[in-house]
Amino acid sequence: MTTPFHVPRLGEILITKGFVDTAQIDHALKHGEGKIGQRLLDDHQVTPEQLAEGLATQAQLPYLELSEFVIPPHLFSEIGSDFVYRYGIVPYALKDNRLTIIIADPFDGRLLNLIQRLTLRPVQYAVSSPDMINQVLERSKKTSDLIKGVSDKFDLAIVVETDEGSEQVLALDKGQQQAVDSPVIKLIN
């Protein structure tokens, strides 16, 4: 019976897409432990890309192939390169104030919550395989390192307007915090 809220099972999706047949699904269900997708992957019944496409369909998210994609420099600043590499995600696009992030597991609620708390924009998700995501991160490493190197050369300073109307620059060491009434923050090279 189909209902408006019916979420198809991953096995059904993979069969419909022609990636596996019913016998392969039955075998994976009877043998092994863990999630069906991982079992099929471990038995070389599906490729990582086919599994990612199936998961994307199940989560009703787009599947993107990232064969030549490199993360644009401005997107690293949207979420932070450390976070991107630690959690294996790809900031993909920024359009109409909405950040698109590519993930491997659309059902990892903990990661989705972390991303939502970290970004200051609405987020939409797309799915790709872990292999493709890792390739993008490897290709984008030089860009990330360059941005990190440039930003390390800047010192954070607070510029405060004094009672006399002049500006006073207060340099901040990393980690140092000072309470200042209505400061303007500038990057000084």
Side-chain angles (χ1 to χ4, degrees), residues 41 47-69 71 87-92 100-108 111-112 124-137 139:
L41 196 59
T47 66
E49 291 74 25
Q50 290 171 330
L51 178 57
E53 190 175 333
L55 289 171
T57 300
Q58 188 178 32
Q60 298 180 0
L61 294 172
Y63 168 79
L64 296 176
E65 184 179 305
L66 305 170
S67 57
E68 299 300 320
F69 183 74
I71 301 170
Y87 290 100
I89 63 172
V90 174
Y92 184 73
T100 301
I101 296 181
I102 300 178
I103 54 178
D105 182 358
F107 299 103
D108 184 348
L111 177 59
L112 300 179
Q124 67 184 32
Y125 297 98
V127 178
S128 195
S129 73
D131 293 345
M132 284 212 184
I133 289 173
N134 288 333
Q135 290 171 14
V136 168
L137 295 177
R139 281 192 300 270

Side-chain angles (χ1 to χ4, degrees), residues 7-168:
V7 176
R9 294 176 182 238
L10 182 59
E12 295 170 1
I13 293 167
L14 296 174
I15 290 170
T16 301
K17 289 185 172 290
F19 297 152
V20 294
D21 58 34
T22 307
Q24 291 169 304
I25 294 294
D26 290 342
H27 178 78
L29 289 171
K30 291 177 184 171
H31 300 91
E33 295 180 8
K35 296 180 178 181
I36 183 81
Q38 189 60 49
R39 285 189 245 167
L40 290 167
L41 196 59
D42 291 345
D43 289 342
H44 306 288
Q45 301 298 313
V46 295
T47 66
E49 291 74 25
Q50 290 171 330
L51 178 57
E53 190 175 333
L55 289 171
T57 300
Q58 188 178 32
Q60 298 180 0
L61 294 172
Y63 168 79
L64 296 176
E65 184 179 305
L66 305 170
S67 57
E68 299 300 320
F69 183 74
V70 175
I71 301 170
H74 70 280
L75 292 180
F76 276 112
S77 64
E78 290 293 328
I79 196 160
S81 61
D82 290 340
F83 188 85
V84 166
Y85 285 97
R86 182 179 310 132
Y87 290 100
I89 63 172
V90 174
Y92 184 73
L94 179 60
K95 185 177 180 185
D96 299 329
N97 199 38
R98 183 174 297 274
L99 182 62
T100 301
I101 296 181
I102 300 178
I103 54 178
D105 182 358
F107 299 103
D108 184 348
R110 184 183 65 79
L111 177 59
L112 300 179
N113 286 334
L114 279 171
I115 292 169
Q116 202 64 49
R117 281 189 271 143
L118 184 64
T119 59
L120 301 175
R121 302 179 186 277
V123 177
Q124 67 184 32
Y125 297 98
V127 178
S128 195
S129 73
D131 293 345
M132 284 212 184
I133 289 173
N134 288 333
Q135 290 171 14
V136 168
L137 295 177
E138 188 61 38
R139 281 192 300 270
S140 303
K141 185 128 179 73
K142 289 180 184 175
T143 302
S144 169
D145 290 345
L146 177 65
I147 290 170
K148 200 171 203 174
V150 168
S151 66
D152 285 346
K153 293 178 182 177
F154 287 95
D155 296 317
L156 186 61
I158 297 180
V159 178
V160 181
E161 187 174 330
T162 65
D163 293 335
E164 297 82 35
S166 63
E167 291 183 347
Q168 179 182 5

Side-chain angles (χ1 to χ4, degrees), residues 2-8:
T2 303
T3 67
F5 303 107
H6 172 74
V7 176

